[in-house]
C-alpha cells in the first residue's frame, strides 16, 4: 500500500482503501471529537510513531527515529480536532471560528528538515523527528490546502459517508472517498433506480 493511503472498514464491515489526498486530512482518520465518530488510534506516543510510518509524510522519506512526548501528542490531537471542525465547516459552507484558524497558524512553527544521507545520497528526515515537527507539518499542510486549494476540499458525496479529502485529480472531479466503496455503492443504487 502507498504511504498516505489507508485501509478503512465501513459500518457494514467492507474493507476499502482511502487516499485523503493530504497529510492534515489523513490525520483526521486517527480519531477526533465525539461527533466525528472515529476510534482513537493515538493513545500513546508509540502509536503515533507506528502510524506515521505509513503516512503521507513517508512518501518523501522514511519516518524513522520518531520521538514524541506526551504533551506533543496532546497538542497534535488538539490540532486534529480543530482541523476536523474547520474542514467540515468549509466543505459545508459554514462559518469558521477565527480562534480555530488562529490555532492552526500557531501550530505551524516547527519544520521537518529534509537532508541528504552522506552514505547513499538519498533523502531522509533529519533525526530525531519530534512531535513538534509533525504538528508543524500538519499545520503547514492545512494552511496550504485551505489557503491555496480550498476549492479542492471535499466531503464524500454519499449521504451516509462524511470522509473528507483533498481532490488532487487534474479535472477536480473526484466525488467519492473511494470508488471501491461509495463510488460503487452509488453505481449500484443508480442501476437499481433505473430498473425501477
Ligand atoms: Zn464515502
Amino acid at each position: 500500500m502507498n504511504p498516505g493511503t489507508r485501509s478503512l472498514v465501513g459500518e457494514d464491515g467492507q474493507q476499502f482503501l482511502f487516499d485523503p489526498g493530504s497529510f492534515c486530512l489523513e490525520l483526521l482518520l486517527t480519531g477526533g471529537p465525539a461527533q466525528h465518530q472515529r476510534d482513537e488510534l493515538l493513545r500513546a506516543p508509540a502509536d503515533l510513531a507506528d502510524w506515521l510510518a505509513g503516512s503521507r509524510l513517508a512518501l518523501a522519506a522514511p519516518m524513522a527515529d520518531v520521538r514524541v512526548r506526551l504533551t506533543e501528542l496532546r497538542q497534535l490531537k488538539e490540532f486534529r480536532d480543530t482541523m476536523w471542525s474547520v474542514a467540515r465547516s468549509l466543505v459545508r459552507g459554514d462559518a469558521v471560528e477565527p480562534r480555530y484558524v488562529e490555532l492552526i497558524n500557531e501550530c505551524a512553527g516547527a519544520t521537518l528538515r529534509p537532508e541528504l544521507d552522506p552514505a547513499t545520497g538519498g533523502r531522509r528526515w533529519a533525526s530525531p523527528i519530534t512531535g513538534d515537527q509533525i504538528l508543524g507539518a500538519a499545520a503547514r499542510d492545512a494552511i496550504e490546502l485551505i489557503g491555496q486549494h480550498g476549492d479542492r476540499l471535499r466531503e464524500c458525496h454519499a449521504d451516509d459517508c462524511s470522509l473528507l479529502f483533498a481532490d488532487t485529480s487534474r479535472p477536480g472531479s473526484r466525488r467519492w472517498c473511494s470508488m471501491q466503496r461509495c463510488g460503487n455503492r452509488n453505481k449500484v443504487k443508480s442501476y437499481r433506480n433505473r430498473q425501477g
Side-chain angles (χ1 to χ4, degrees):
M1 200 168 7
N2 281 336
T5 297
R6 298 289 179 169
S7 175
L8 302 182
V9 179
E11 273 172 22
D12 55 1
Q14 187 201 0
Q15 201 170 348
F16 61 99
L17 296 179
F18 172 54
D19 178 3
S22 87
F23 178 65
C24 63
L25 297 179
E26 186 186 2
L27 192 62
L28 304 184
L29 301 173
T30 64
Q35 70 268 40
H36 185 29
Q37 295 182 319
R38 294 216 79 87
D39 293 340
E40 179 57 70
L41 302 183
L42 308 178
R43 282 178 292 267
D47 297 331
L48 177 61
D50 286 348
W51 182 83
L52 285 167
S55 78
R56 207 170 180 84
L57 293 179
L59 284 171
M63 297 301 288
D65 195 15
V66 177
R67 294 185 213 170
V68 181
R69 287 175 295 151
L70 205 51
T71 50
E72 291 176 317
L73 184 64
R74 259 187 236 122
Q75 283 171 335
L76 187 71
K77 287 189 195 179
E78 194 191 347
F79 168 85
R80 182 187 66 187
D81 294 3
T82 302
M83 182 63 206
W84 178 75
S85 171
V86 168
R88 208 165 100 116
S89 297
L90 288 171
V91 293
R92 297 185 172 193
D94 297 337
V96 176
E97 290 202 36
R99 69 192 164 102
Y100 287 167
V101 174
E102 280 158 21
L103 187 132
I104 292 176
N105 288 341
E106 283 161 18
C107 290
T111 37
L112 267 176
R113 200 161 53 79
E115 62 178 23
L116 297 173
D117 183 335
T120 65
R123 188 166 137 116
R124 68 182 185 191
W125 297 116
S127 137
I129 295 172
T130 67
D132 244 14
Q133 290 174 324
I134 300 303
L135 179 64
R140 282 155 192 274
D141 187 54
I143 290 166
E144 192 185 310
L145 174 64
I146 297 168
Q148 277 178 274
H149 311 287
D151 58 330
R152 291 303 188 100
L153 191 60
R154 306 253 192 284
E155 184 173 32
C156 178
H157 269 53
D159 295 338
D160 58 351
C161 177
S162 52
L163 286 170
L164 298 166
F165 58 88
D167 181 357
T168 56
S169 72
R170 193 191 273 262
S173 55
R174 181 175 166 192
R175 298 173 68 201
W176 312 108
C177 59
S178 153
M179 279 312 295
Q180 256 181 301
R181 172 73 179 164
C182 292
N184 194 47
R185 290 196 305 153
N186 180 65
K187 254 192 244 166
V188 171
K189 207 166 98 186
S190 38
Y191 176 77
R192 283 204 192 118
N193 287 347
R194 273 202 304 276
Q195 301 299 303

